[in-house]
């Protein structure tokens, strides 16, 4: 917090002076590694699963754009199946890339993650504070013989480095 002196002149050259208190806040730094919890619903033609786990992103930032890597370790729990389909849950690991833009404290971007069985494209928006990133997403997935929709995705990450 700083106290500064200010003087102004009007059109008749009269001058008035005073003091103002100025607070300078630290800028939010996106660049680094962020990690935390996520949850989502995945629906395919016959199954609905609840997926949750740990999401880690490592990003660099330049001129309002960011890019980096994504690591997703989670568990799928089969909620329901239809037409006699066999829906399985279990552990999974996905990795990939993230890219987008940052304006003020708001991020808009896309995560693209995959493994040998499936791939996902997940547009997201997020809000940053100094050490927390909170966001929401939805998107689509593809796997051998089908596709899925991701909905109600949310994450809360904290800055690690």
């Amino acid at each position: 917090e700083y106290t500064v002196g200010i003087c102004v002149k009007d059109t008749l050259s009269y001058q008035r002076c005073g003091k103002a208190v100025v607070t300078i806040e630290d800028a939010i730094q996106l660049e680094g590694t962020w990690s935390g919890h996520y949850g989502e619903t995945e629906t395919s033609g016959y199954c609905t699963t609840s997926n949750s786990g740990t999401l880690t992103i490592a990003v660099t930032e330049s001129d309002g754009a960011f890019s980096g890597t994504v690591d997703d370790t989670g568990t799928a729990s089969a909620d329901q199946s239809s037409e006699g389909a066999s829906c399985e849950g279990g552990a999974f690991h996905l990795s990939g890339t993230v890219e987008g833009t940052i304006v003020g404290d708001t991020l808009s971007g896309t995560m693209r993650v995959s493994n040998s069985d499936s791939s996902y494209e997940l547009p997201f928006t997020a809000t940053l504070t100094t050490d927390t990133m909170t966001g929401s997403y939805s998107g689509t997935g593809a796997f051998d013989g089908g596709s899925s929709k991701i909905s109600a995705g949310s994450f809360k990450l904290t800055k690690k480095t």
Side-chain angles (χ1 to χ4, degrees), residues 5-37:
I6 299 174
C7 294
V8 294
K9 283 187 180 180
D10 64 17
T11 56
L12 299 175
S13 294
Y14 290 109
Q15 181 172 313
R16 295 211 178 244
C17 295
K19 291 190 246 178
V21 176
V22 177
T23 302
I24 300 173
E25 297 182 13
D26 290 337
I28 296 173
Q29 298 295 318
L30 172 62
E31 192 160 317
T33 301
W34 300 76
S35 186
H37 182 78

Side-chain angles (χ1 to χ4, degrees), residues 124-147:
F124 70 93
T125 59
T127 303
L128 289 178
T129 64
T130 304
D131 61 357
T132 304
M133 181 190 305
T134 305
S136 61
Y137 61 95
S138 60
T140 57
F143 51 90
D144 188 24
S147 63

Side-chain angles (χ1 to χ4, degrees), residues 48-71:
T48 300
T49 61
S50 294
N51 305 331
S52 62
T54 301
L55 180 67
T56 302
I57 66 170
V59 294
T60 58
E61 176 190 357
S62 178
D63 297 326
F66 65 89
S67 62
T69 60
V70 179
D71 189 75

Side-chain angles (χ1 to χ4, degrees), residues 64-66 98-103 105-110 123-127:
F66 65 89
V98 61
E99 64 183 6
T101 58
I102 180 170
V103 177
D105 64 353
T106 303
L107 281 81
S108 298
T110 302
F124 70 93
T125 59
T127 303

Side-chain angles (χ1 to χ4, degrees), residues 67-87:
S67 62
T69 60
V70 179
D71 189 75
D72 170 356
T73 302
T75 303
S77 300
D79 290 337
Q80 71 183 69
S81 63
S82 61
E83 300 181 29
S86 174
C87 300

